[in-house]
Amino acid sequence: MKIKHIIKPIIFIALFSIIFGILTQIFKQKLLSVPWNTTIKVNGIYNEKKDSYDIMFGGTSHMYCSIIPRQLEEETGVKGYTFTTSQQPMWVTYFYIEEFLKYQSPKLIVLDVRELALEDEYAAEGTNRTALDNITFSETKIQAIKVSIPKKDRASYYFSFIKYHSRWKELKKSDFSIDYLKQTDSERGYV
Amino acid sequence: MLFNSLQFLIFFPIVVFVYFLIPHKIRWVWLLVASYYFYMCWNPKYALLMALSTFITYLSGLLIEKAGDSKAKKKLWVFLCFAINLAILFTFKYYNFLMSSISLTLGKIDIIIEMPAFNYLLPVGISFYTFQALSYTMDVYRGDVKTERNLGKYALFVSFFPQLVAGPIERSKDLLDQFNERHYMEYNRIKRGLLLMLWGFFQKLVIADRVAILVNSVYNHPNENKGIAIMIATVLFAVQIYCDFSSYSDIARGAAEVMGFRLMQNFKRPYFSKSIAEFWRRWHISLSTWFKDYLYIPLGGNRKGKLKQYRNILIVFITSGLWHGANWTFVIWGALHGIYQIIGSITKPARDKIIGFLHINRNNKIHKLFMILFTFALVNFGWIFFRANSLADAKKLIANMFIIDFSTLNISTLIKLGLDKYDIIVAMIAILILFIVSLIRRNNSFRDKLNKQNIIVRWSIYLVAIFAILIFGIYGPGYDASQFIYFQF
């Protein structure tokens, strides 16, 4: 076997992987329009100063509709962040807490426990996508996917392109920009 | 396991990798295991059925050989083998059709009978592997192939995963010995195989499954559409079934080629045919040749006079229709193709006279184009029956097809048929690509031509093709991994 017959496929696969990665980023569903810019709210935590928040608010949309972290800080000086997505099942909230604790050391975690009453074995796809697609790939995310999604459906969560490739019809200018990845949420999670 | 699934994309590289790793002597064992695993992903129990057909035909080979000079005994074994296997095929495939047809007919004269139902699903690929296995029995009987003593290798011949579920239907004399060959990892051959598979995936995921959406919305609601919509849906069905079926054969051939095996070509640009007879030499070639060798010729073929020939053509094509499905629509479709050819044959002297009289040059491009379009129209008319869900639907669609409202002759009608304008554009471009590639392939091997380009051109084409499939392909959550049409046969 000639050397070039090993090198060429490897380079090709590398080229493919790079393009695939870029396309995955472009095609990904990004929730960027204020005030429902969940992507900014969740992704923003990665851009916040480390250990700067004292409270994490989590659980469900009740939190991000009811608690106004900026007002809390203005009135009491306590800095809080609402780190959650809509109708978030409790099993995902667990991993959201885990994720939050990688970057912050809050003294208090406040949870809306409404989703403990969830009787379905799995949450709806929209709920799962919003919750899982917006956190970065890590062991935490893998565990969250495993617990939220039945085995046969997991592939499109590991590789979001499988789900979002059909967005080719609706790509917007904002899909091609990665500026949002460096943004923080001025509302600290409040909608 | 479907070809267009993540499972297969993982299964295939593993099978190939191990295949080239292990010693040559046990490679067939690995392929046998892989093939049965592949089949059992559909339904483990039906693997037993396939094993049964395998064993019976294997046994028939041994018994025919043992019968030595006794032609009567040999015929007996052939008969028994065919009878049992066809009985199995018949039961799973046609029992319910037969029963419901009988009770429908009896019902018309007010006799109501409770027919016991056969409630088992049609085992995937049963029509294919049964025919492939039976061809072995016939070939041993005729002395065309030597008896295979190794049950395992024979079982691999019947179950070889690339072509197991939807063909090509191989002959034992072509495939069996290949399992004794030594195959090596050859860069160019593997590349060619992968490219053929890529082309298959393009046809299936970008074209076939896309136009299927439009075809289904028309054919599943025959009352709601008229005129142009039905014509468009039918032409697109012609595209769909070609892409769906030939893509399966391409992926099968490509996969086999990667490992060093050669499978036969099943399609040769069939819609470029200038006659129905030619069409059947270019469409589903492995089935046509099977019927020719094992039904048409034993019936006498064309050696017993015109009348018998016409009878034989009709028998073969009606049987072929039935092979495709347990529904009167398939019978009509088959009969139609039989009748086309009979009429073609009867009118040949008259047509020759007219051509001579008008001094038309048969090689003239315009004449050829006319013949191609005319044949295509005949084939399309046949597809109406093939695709319609029932005879009543077919009648309705044909009746409605001639109600042409010229005010609907615009793009907005097309868009109401299930595909939005983006999908239609993608479909049109993809079909155009298919057409251009087909034109190129008339005189050249496309892959050879591709190989002659420089690396930047080649790699660009590969990457564009792969990403076109990944982006525009009909797959993922929200689309049902649509099965290949021929799986229900």
Side-chain angles (χ1 to χ4, degrees):
Chain A
M1 233 196 314
K2 301 195 188 125
I3 272 294
K4 73 169 180 178
H5 289 160
I6 303 183
I7 302 280
K8 280 195 355 192
I10 292 180
I11 298 182
F12 186 81
I13 292 175
L15 211 55
F16 168 81
S17 306
I18 294 173
I19 300 178
F20 186 73
I22 295 175
L23 288 179
T24 299
Q25 172 55 37
I26 294 175
F27 280 76
K28 209 151 54 152
Q29 177 81 278
K30 307 165 193 73
L31 303 165
L32 302 172
S33 55
V34 181
W36 297 101
N37 50 356
T38 309
T39 300
I40 307 269
K41 291 175 174 359
V42 172
N43 188 267
I45 203 63
Y46 303 120
N47 301 318
E48 294 277 354
K49 194 162 144 235
K50 226 171 176 267
D51 298 331
S52 54
Y53 288 96
D54 305 314
I55 307 183
M56 169 184 156
F57 298 102
T60 71
S61 51
H62 291 139
M63 280 309 199
Y64 63 59
C65 290
S66 326
I67 312 265
I68 309 177
R70 275 196 306 126
Q71 187 167 350
L72 180 68
E73 188 183 356
E74 275 166 30
E75 291 175 9
T76 68
V78 176
K79 294 181 73 171
Y81 199 99
T82 310
F83 190 62
T84 184
T85 56
S86 71
Q87 293 186 301
Q88 195 180 82
M90 218 44 170
W91 50 79
V92 175
T93 307
Y94 173 90
F95 291 106
Y96 259 60
I97 296 175
E98 193 178 280
E99 189 75 0
F100 192 82
L101 292 177
K102 287 183 194 169
Y103 302 93
Q104 302 292 330
S105 327
K107 301 189 188 66
L108 182 67
I109 299 179
V110 181
L111 290 184
D112 167 13
V113 297
R114 191 204 175 285
E115 288 303 314
L116 280 177
L118 182 64
E119 283 176 13
D120 301 328
E121 197 182 343
Y122 296 107
E125 188 186 359
T127 307
N128 288 326
R129 295 270 171 211
T130 319
L132 297 170
D133 285 345
N134 288 305
I135 49 177
T136 54
F137 203 78
S138 64
E139 181 61 31
T140 306
K141 177 164 174 168
I142 295 175
Q143 295 294 332
I145 292 174
K146 280 190 176 162
V147 81
S148 316
I149 314 288
K151 200 163 188 205
K152 59 180 172 63
D153 298 327
R154 287 180 198 159
S156 63
Y157 286 87
Y158 293 128
F159 297 101
S160 68
F161 190 75
I162 295 175
K163 166 78 182 174
Y164 295 121
H165 73 94
S166 45
R167 287 191 66 229
W168 62 268
K169 294 182 200 175
E170 42 179 81
L171 288 178
K172 301 187 271 286
K173 240 176 130 187
S174 54
D175 283 306
F176 291 86
S177 156
I178 52 169
D179 287 342
Y180 76 91
L181 284 174
K182 303 196 199 81
Q183 289 176 13
T184 57
D185 183 28
S186 54
E187 290 297 337
R188 320 260 175 83
Y190 170 64
V191 167
Chain B
M1 198 185 300
L2 286 175
F3 278 164
N4 52 328
S5 69
L6 216 55
Q7 220 187 350
F8 182 73
L9 291 180
I10 299 175
F11 168 85
F12 182 66
I14 295 178
V15 172
V16 171
F17 188 64
V18 174
Y19 178 77
F20 284 116
L21 226 58
I22 59 183
H24 293 273
K25 281 217 147 85
I26 58 171
R27 286 184 181 182
W28 67 264
V29 180
W30 168 245
L31 288 181
L32 180 62
V33 169
S35 297
Y36 265 78
Y37 174 78
F38 180 87
Y39 191 71
M40 285 167 85
C41 285
W42 290 99
N43 186 325
K45 288 190 238 140
Y46 287 152
L48 287 172
L49 209 57
M50 178 170 68
L52 180 65
S53 287
T54 303
F55 186 67
I56 293 176
T57 46
Y58 164 80
L59 203 61
S60 77
L62 293 179
L63 289 170
I64 291 173
E65 190 192 45
K66 227 180 107 193
D69 289 322
S70 164
K71 221 174 180 205
K73 253 196 175 168
K74 288 188 179 185
K75 278 198 172 156
L76 174 67
W77 298 131
V78 172
F79 174 74
L80 278 177
C81 179
F82 266 70
I84 297 176
N85 278 295
L86 290 178
I88 296 176
L89 180 60
F90 182 85
T91 311
F92 276 91
K93 205 161 159 175
Y94 303 107
Y95 178 83
N96 286 329
F97 175 49
L98 180 66
M99 289 303 130
S100 67
S101 298
I102 292 180
S103 53
L104 219 74
T105 320
L106 291 177
K108 292 212 163 114
I109 50 176
D110 281 339
I111 299 178
I112 314 289
I113 296 189
E114 270 292 330
M115 295 291 189
F118 186 74
N119 288 321
Y120 294 92
L121 281 178
L122 185 63
V124 160
I126 189 173
S127 309
F128 287 89
Y129 73 67
T130 303
F131 270 35
Q132 187 154 315
L134 287 177
S135 81
Y136 168 74
T137 302
M138 267 308 240
D139 285 348
V140 173
Y141 170 77
R142 289 176 178 172
D144 288 337
V145 78
K146 66 176 186 346
T147 318
E148 177 58 61
R149 305 214 108 75
N150 187 323
L151 176 57
K153 277 197 187 149
Y154 178 71
L156 176 56
F157 161 71
V158 177
S159 65
F160 189 43
F161 78 86
Q163 41 96 98
L164 169 59
V165 174
I169 302 174
E170 292 289 334
R171 304 297 175 84
S172 46
K173 66 172 158 58
D174 296 325
L175 188 55
L176 215 39
D177 256 337
Q178 288 191 53
F179 298 124
N180 295 323
E181 290 172 355
R182 299 192 148 221
H183 297 146
Y184 298 94
M185 281 189 96
E186 213 188 283
Y187 185 76
N188 278 315
R189 190 199 71 230
I190 292 179
K191 194 170 61 162
R192 285 177 60 99
L194 291 175
L195 281 176
L196 193 53
M197 292 175 80
L198 191 66
W199 177 239
F201 283 115
F202 176 78
Q203 287 178 277
K204 169 67 174 164
L205 292 174
V206 179
I207 305 180
D209 287 353
R210 178 168 264 102
V211 299
I213 296 172
L214 191 153
V215 172
N216 290 342
S217 87
V218 172
Y219 270 80
N220 291 341
H221 307 101
N223 291 313
E224 291 165 23
N225 292 286
K226 310 243 187 302
I228 295 291
I230 298 180
M231 288 189 201
I232 292 178
T234 307
V235 172
L236 284 180
F237 178 69
V239 173
Q240 177 195 347
I241 190 169
Y242 169 72
C243 286
D244 196 289
F245 198 15
S246 94
S247 71
Y248 188 96
S249 295
D250 282 342
I251 297 174
R253 267 201 309 143
E257 188 171 1
V258 168
M259 292 185 284
F261 297 98
R262 280 97 48 217
L263 297 180
M264 67 181 287
Q265 227 186 338
N266 219 3
F267 293 86
K268 286 200 170 109
R269 293 169 307 288
Y271 291 141
F272 286 42
S273 302
K274 296 189 280 301
S275 72
I276 296 289
E278 186 184 355
F279 178 78
W280 285 103
R281 290 194 291 273
R282 300 167 87 162
W283 175 278
H284 203 343
I285 299 171
S286 64
L287 183 69
S288 308
T289 50
W290 196 100
F291 274 121
K292 183 176 75 153
D293 289 344
Y294 302 114
L295 186 57
Y296 185 67
I297 290 183
L299 282 174
N302 58 1
R303 286 176 295 117
K304 302 235 172 108
K306 280 279 173 202
L307 225 57
K308 284 238 162 94
Q309 181 189 13
Y310 295 158
R311 177 206 68 174
N312 294 339
I313 289 177
L314 220 48
I315 292 178
V316 166
F317 276 89
I318 290 180
T319 311
S320 168
L322 265 176
W323 180 94
H324 281 79
N327 197 322
W328 287 112
T329 50
F330 294 109
V331 178
I332 302 282
W333 170 77
L336 199 60
H337 274 269
I339 293 172
Y340 283 156
Q341 291 176 83
I342 294 174
I343 294 182
S345 175
I346 292 177
T347 58
K348 186 148 181 23
R351 287 187 290 124
D352 285 345
K353 274 218 173 96
I354 297 178
I355 301 250
F357 181 70
L358 294 175
H359 294 297
I360 295 178
N361 178 3
R362 276 222 154 90
N363 282 323
N364 174 269
K365 284 212 159 97
I366 308 244
H367 179 257
K368 279 189 184 175
L369 183 63
F370 175 74
M371 292 309 292
I372 291 176
L373 292 174
F374 182 65
T375 304
F376 187 66
L378 290 178
V379 170
N380 266 303
F381 185 70
W383 287 138
I384 296 178
F385 291 95
F386 192 94
R387 174 59 184 84
N389 294 326
S390 70
L391 219 47
D393 276 5
K395 288 188 201 157
K396 185 147 292 149
L397 286 161
I398 294 173
N400 284 348
M401 188 166 65
F402 293 106
I403 304 175
I404 301 186
D405 180 359
F406 283 103
S407 67
T408 63
L409 224 73
N410 52 40
I411 295 293
S412 65
T413 326
L414 198 58
I415 297 180
K416 289 198 209 97
L417 298 174
L419 288 177
D420 62 30
K421 64 177 188 233
Y422 297 108
D423 278 317
I424 290 178
I425 294 175
V426 168
M428 293 295 118
I429 296 178
I431 293 174
L432 186 63
I433 294 176
L434 172 67
F435 184 67
I436 294 175
V437 170
S438 302
L439 282 179
I440 295 176
R441 288 172 87 187
R442 276 178 313 161
N443 296 315
N444 306 288
S445 154
F446 189 81
R447 286 176 289 168
D448 285 343
K449 267 200 134 187
L450 190 55
N451 227 14
K452 293 196 187 124
Q453 312 302 315
N454 69 55
I455 189 168
I456 303 219
V457 172
R458 289 201 319 265
W459 280 30
S460 307
I461 293 183
Y462 301 160
L463 289 169
V464 168
I466 293 175
F467 285 110
I469 297 170
L470 288 176
I471 294 174
F472 300 112
I474 305 284
Y475 70 90
Y479 297 117
D480 253 311
S482 45
Q483 306 202 12
F484 292 85
I485 299 179
Y486 265 74
F487 279 10
Q488 49 185 311
F489 303 137

PDB file of all heavy atoms in Angstrom, chain B residues 10 28 32 40-41 65 82 141 243 271 279 346 367 414 460 488:
ATOM      1  N   ILE B  10     -22.644   3.051   9.711  1.00  0.00           N
ATOM      2  CA  ILE B  10     -21.710   2.519  10.697  1.00  0.00           C
ATOM      3  C   ILE B  10     -21.401   1.053  10.383  1.00  0.00           C
ATOM      4  O   ILE B  10     -20.253   0.608  10.428  1.00  0.00           O
ATOM      5  CB  ILE B  10     -22.287   2.649  12.121  1.00  0.00           C
ATOM      6  CG1 ILE B  10     -22.525   4.121  12.443  1.00  0.00           C
ATOM      7  CG2 ILE B  10     -21.377   2.008  13.151  1.00  0.00           C
ATOM      8  CD1 ILE B  10     -23.211   4.348  13.776  1.00  0.00           C
ATOM      9  N   TRP B  28     -15.660 -15.389   3.986  1.00  0.00           N
ATOM     10  CA  TRP B  28     -17.060 -15.634   3.626  1.00  0.00           C
ATOM     11  C   TRP B  28     -17.909 -15.853   4.873  1.00  0.00           C
ATOM     12  O   TRP B  28     -19.083 -15.500   4.895  1.00  0.00           O
ATOM     13  CB  TRP B  28     -17.164 -16.807   2.649  1.00  0.00           C
ATOM     14  CG  TRP B  28     -16.793 -18.147   3.181  1.00  0.00           C
ATOM     15  CD1 TRP B  28     -15.588 -18.777   3.063  1.00  0.00           C
ATOM     16  CD2 TRP B  28     -17.629 -19.046   3.933  1.00  0.00           C
ATOM     17  NE1 TRP B  28     -15.616 -19.981   3.676  1.00  0.00           N
ATOM     18  CE2 TRP B  28     -16.861 -20.185   4.231  1.00  0.00           C
ATOM     19  CE3 TRP B  28     -18.953 -18.991   4.374  1.00  0.00           C
ATOM     20  CZ2 TRP B  28     -17.356 -21.264   4.944  1.00  0.00           C
ATOM     21  CZ3 TRP B  28     -19.468 -20.070   5.088  1.00  0.00           C
ATOM     22  CH2 TRP B  28     -18.668 -21.189   5.371  1.00  0.00           C
ATOM     23  N   LEU B  32     -21.229 -13.849   5.781  1.00  0.00           N
ATOM     24  CA  LEU B  32     -22.477 -14.553   6.058  1.00  0.00           C
ATOM     25  C   LEU B  32     -23.099 -14.032   7.351  1.00  0.00           C
ATOM     26  O   LEU B  32     -24.292 -13.718   7.420  1.00  0.00           O
ATOM     27  CB  LEU B  32     -22.228 -16.062   6.166  1.00  0.00           C
ATOM     28  CG  LEU B  32     -23.456 -16.939   6.460  1.00  0.00           C
ATOM     29  CD1 LEU B  32     -24.467 -16.809   5.340  1.00  0.00           C
ATOM     30  CD2 LEU B  32     -23.056 -18.399   6.625  1.00  0.00           C
ATOM     31  N   MET B  40     -31.646  -9.587   9.727  1.00  0.00           N
ATOM     32  CA  MET B  40     -32.388  -9.714  10.960  1.00  0.00           C
ATOM     33  C   MET B  40     -32.735  -8.373  11.590  1.00  0.00           C
ATOM     34  O   MET B  40     -33.593  -8.304  12.461  1.00  0.00           O
ATOM     35  CB  MET B  40     -31.616 -10.588  11.959  1.00  0.00           C
ATOM     36  CG  MET B  40     -31.686 -12.052  11.575  1.00  0.00           C
ATOM     37  SD  MET B  40     -30.520 -13.077  12.460  1.00  0.00           S
ATOM     38  CE  MET B  40     -31.436 -13.397  13.938  1.00  0.00           C
ATOM     39  N   CYS B  41     -32.086  -7.312  11.136  1.00  0.00           N
ATOM     40  CA  CYS B  41     -32.467  -5.994  11.634  1.00  0.00           C
ATOM     41  C   CYS B  41     -33.890  -5.665  11.212  1.00  0.00           C
ATOM     42  O   CYS B  41     -34.554  -4.832  11.845  1.00  0.00           O
ATOM     43  CB  CYS B  41     -31.510  -4.916  11.124  1.00  0.00           C
ATOM     44  SG  CYS B  41     -29.929  -4.955  11.962  1.00  0.00           S
ATOM     45  N   GLU B  65     -27.681 -33.628  -8.395  1.00  0.00           N
ATOM     46  CA  GLU B  65     -26.397 -34.210  -8.774  1.00  0.00           C
ATOM     47  C   GLU B  65     -26.409 -35.708  -8.527  1.00  0.00           C
ATOM     48  O   GLU B  65     -25.937 -36.506  -9.326  1.00  0.00           O
ATOM     49  CB  GLU B  65     -25.272 -33.550  -7.976  1.00  0.00           C
ATOM     50  CG  GLU B  65     -23.900 -33.933  -8.480  1.00  0.00           C
ATOM     51  CD  GLU B  65     -22.816 -33.497  -7.504  1.00  0.00           C
ATOM     52  OE1 GLU B  65     -22.994 -33.714  -6.286  1.00  0.00           O
ATOM     53  OE2 GLU B  65     -21.809 -32.940  -7.961  1.00  0.00           O
ATOM     54  N   PHE B  82     -39.123 -25.958  -6.586  1.00  0.00           N
ATOM     55  CA  PHE B  82     -39.878 -24.785  -7.050  1.00  0.00           C
ATOM     56  C   PHE B  82     -41.214 -24.702  -6.335  1.00  0.00           C
ATOM     57  O   PHE B  82     -41.641 -23.644  -5.897  1.00  0.00           O
ATOM     58  CB  PHE B  82     -40.087 -24.853  -8.570  1.00  0.00           C
ATOM     59  CG  PHE B  82     -39.043 -24.103  -9.343  1.00  0.00           C
ATOM     60  CD1 PHE B  82     -37.736 -24.560  -9.401  1.00  0.00           C
ATOM     61  CD2 PHE B  82     -39.363 -22.926  -9.992  1.00  0.00           C
ATOM     62  CE1 PHE B  82     -36.769 -23.868 -10.104  1.00  0.00           C
ATOM     63  CE2 PHE B  82     -38.403 -22.220 -10.695  1.00  0.00           C
ATOM     64  CZ  PHE B  82     -37.102 -22.693 -10.747  1.00  0.00           C
ATOM     65  N   TYR B 141     -29.623 -28.082 -12.520  1.00  0.00           N
ATOM     66  CA  TYR B 141     -30.363 -29.020 -13.368  1.00  0.00           C
ATOM     67  C   TYR B 141     -29.869 -28.952 -14.807  1.00  0.00           C
ATOM     68  O   TYR B 141     -29.679 -29.969 -15.471  1.00  0.00           O
ATOM     69  CB  TYR B 141     -31.860 -28.701 -13.295  1.00  0.00           C
ATOM     70  CG  TYR B 141     -32.706 -29.444 -14.292  1.00  0.00           C
ATOM     71  CD1 TYR B 141     -33.029 -30.790 -14.095  1.00  0.00           C
ATOM     72  CD2 TYR B 141     -33.185 -28.803 -15.440  1.00  0.00           C
ATOM     73  CE1 TYR B 141     -33.801 -31.473 -15.013  1.00  0.00           C
ATOM     74  CE2 TYR B 141     -33.962 -29.487 -16.360  1.00  0.00           C
ATOM     75  CZ  TYR B 141     -34.270 -30.816 -16.136  1.00  0.00           C
ATOM     76  OH  TYR B 141     -35.044 -31.487 -17.053  1.00  0.00           O
ATOM     77  N   CYS B 243     -35.088   6.469  -9.873  1.00  0.00           N
ATOM     78  CA  CYS B 243     -34.039   6.862  -8.944  1.00  0.00           C
ATOM     79  C   CYS B 243     -34.029   5.953  -7.716  1.00  0.00           C
ATOM     80  O   CYS B 243     -32.977   5.549  -7.243  1.00  0.00           O
ATOM     81  CB  CYS B 243     -34.231   8.317  -8.506  1.00  0.00           C
ATOM     82  SG  CYS B 243     -33.793   9.480  -9.786  1.00  0.00           S
ATOM     83  N   TYR B 271     -34.963   4.999 -19.711  1.00  0.00           N
ATOM     84  CA  TYR B 271     -35.884   5.935 -20.342  1.00  0.00           C
ATOM     85  C   TYR B 271     -35.361   6.455 -21.675  1.00  0.00           C
ATOM     86  O   TYR B 271     -36.027   7.228 -22.348  1.00  0.00           O
ATOM     87  CB  TYR B 271     -36.199   7.096 -19.399  1.00  0.00           C
ATOM     88  CG  TYR B 271     -37.023   6.676 -18.206  1.00  0.00           C
ATOM     89  CD1 TYR B 271     -36.770   7.209 -16.955  1.00  0.00           C
ATOM     90  CD2 TYR B 271     -38.048   5.742 -18.320  1.00  0.00           C
ATOM     91  CE1 TYR B 271     -37.521   6.833 -15.836  1.00  0.00           C
ATOM     92  CE2 TYR B 271     -38.793   5.353 -17.215  1.00  0.00           C
ATOM     93  CZ  TYR B 271     -38.524   5.901 -15.977  1.00  0.00           C
ATOM     94  OH  TYR B 271     -39.267   5.526 -14.880  1.00  0.00           O
ATOM     95  N   PHE B 279     -36.912  -1.294 -23.710  1.00  0.00           N
ATOM     96  CA  PHE B 279     -37.063  -0.860 -22.322  1.00  0.00           C
ATOM     97  C   PHE B 279     -36.801  -2.031 -21.391  1.00  0.00           C
ATOM     98  O   PHE B 279     -36.091  -1.896 -20.398  1.00  0.00           O
ATOM     99  CB  PHE B 279     -38.473  -0.301 -22.101  1.00  0.00           C
ATOM    100  CG  PHE B 279     -38.752   0.122 -20.690  1.00  0.00           C
ATOM    101  CD1 PHE B 279     -38.279   1.331 -20.197  1.00  0.00           C
ATOM    102  CD2 PHE B 279     -39.497  -0.689 -19.837  1.00  0.00           C
ATOM    103  CE1 PHE B 279     -38.543   1.720 -18.888  1.00  0.00           C
ATOM    104  CE2 PHE B 279     -39.759  -0.303 -18.526  1.00  0.00           C
ATOM    105  CZ  PHE B 279     -39.281   0.901 -18.051  1.00  0.00           C
ATOM    106  N   ILE B 346     -46.869  -7.102 -33.935  1.00  0.00           N
ATOM    107  CA  ILE B 346     -47.862  -7.278 -34.995  1.00  0.00           C
ATOM    108  C   ILE B 346     -47.773  -6.160 -36.035  1.00  0.00           C
ATOM    109  O   ILE B 346     -47.881  -6.378 -37.232  1.00  0.00           O
ATOM    110  CB  ILE B 346     -49.291  -7.308 -34.411  1.00  0.00           C
ATOM    111  CG1 ILE B 346     -49.481  -8.576 -33.572  1.00  0.00           C
ATOM    112  CG2 ILE B 346     -50.337  -7.244 -35.514  1.00  0.00           C
ATOM    113  CD1 ILE B 346     -50.826  -8.649 -32.900  1.00  0.00           C
ATOM    114  N   HIS B 367     -36.030  11.230 -35.467  1.00  0.00           N
ATOM    115  CA  HIS B 367     -36.828  10.008 -35.384  1.00  0.00           C
ATOM    116  C   HIS B 367     -36.544   9.286 -34.090  1.00  0.00           C
ATOM    117  O   HIS B 367     -37.444   8.799 -33.399  1.00  0.00           O
ATOM    118  CB  HIS B 367     -36.510   9.095 -36.576  1.00  0.00           C
ATOM    119  CG  HIS B 367     -37.285   7.815 -36.541  1.00  0.00           C
ATOM    120  ND1 HIS B 367     -36.710   6.614 -36.152  1.00  0.00           N
ATOM    121  CD2 HIS B 367     -38.575   7.547 -36.805  1.00  0.00           C
ATOM    122  CE1 HIS B 367     -37.637   5.658 -36.201  1.00  0.00           C
ATOM    123  NE2 HIS B 367     -38.768   6.200 -36.594  1.00  0.00           N
ATOM    124  N   LEU B 414     -48.308  23.833  -9.374  1.00  0.00           N
ATOM    125  CA  LEU B 414     -47.253  22.901  -9.019  1.00  0.00           C
ATOM    126  C   LEU B 414     -46.952  22.988  -7.530  1.00  0.00           C
ATOM    127  O   LEU B 414     -46.777  21.986  -6.856  1.00  0.00           O
ATOM    128  CB  LEU B 414     -46.005  23.271  -9.834  1.00  0.00           C
ATOM    129  CG  LEU B 414     -44.938  22.201  -9.956  1.00  0.00           C
ATOM    130  CD1 LEU B 414     -45.515  20.957 -10.578  1.00  0.00           C
ATOM    131  CD2 LEU B 414     -43.790  22.718 -10.806  1.00  0.00           C
ATOM    132  N   SER B 460     -13.361  18.558  -5.325  1.00  0.00           N
ATOM    133  CA  SER B 460     -14.470  19.509  -5.258  1.00  0.00           C
ATOM    134  C   SER B 460     -15.776  18.822  -5.578  1.00  0.00           C
ATOM    135  O   SER B 460     -16.778  19.016  -4.895  1.00  0.00           O
ATOM    136  CB  SER B 460     -14.256  20.662  -6.243  1.00  0.00           C
ATOM    137  OG  SER B 460     -13.004  21.238  -6.046  1.00  0.00           O
ATOM    138  N   GLN B 488     -41.281  -3.642  -0.903  1.00  0.00           N
ATOM    139  CA  GLN B 488     -42.519  -4.348  -0.640  1.00  0.00           C
ATOM    140  C   GLN B 488     -42.697  -5.525  -1.577  1.00  0.00           C
ATOM    141  O   GLN B 488     -43.734  -6.124  -1.632  1.00  0.00           O
ATOM    142  CB  GLN B 488     -43.688  -3.389  -0.790  1.00  0.00           C
ATOM    143  CG  GLN B 488     -43.605  -2.592  -2.086  1.00  0.00           C
ATOM    144  CD  GLN B 488     -44.697  -1.563  -2.182  1.00  0.00           C
ATOM    145  OE1 GLN B 488     -45.839  -1.893  -1.964  1.00  0.00           O
ATOM    146  NE2 GLN B 488     -44.353  -0.332  -2.508  1.00  0.00           N
TER     147      GLN B 488
END
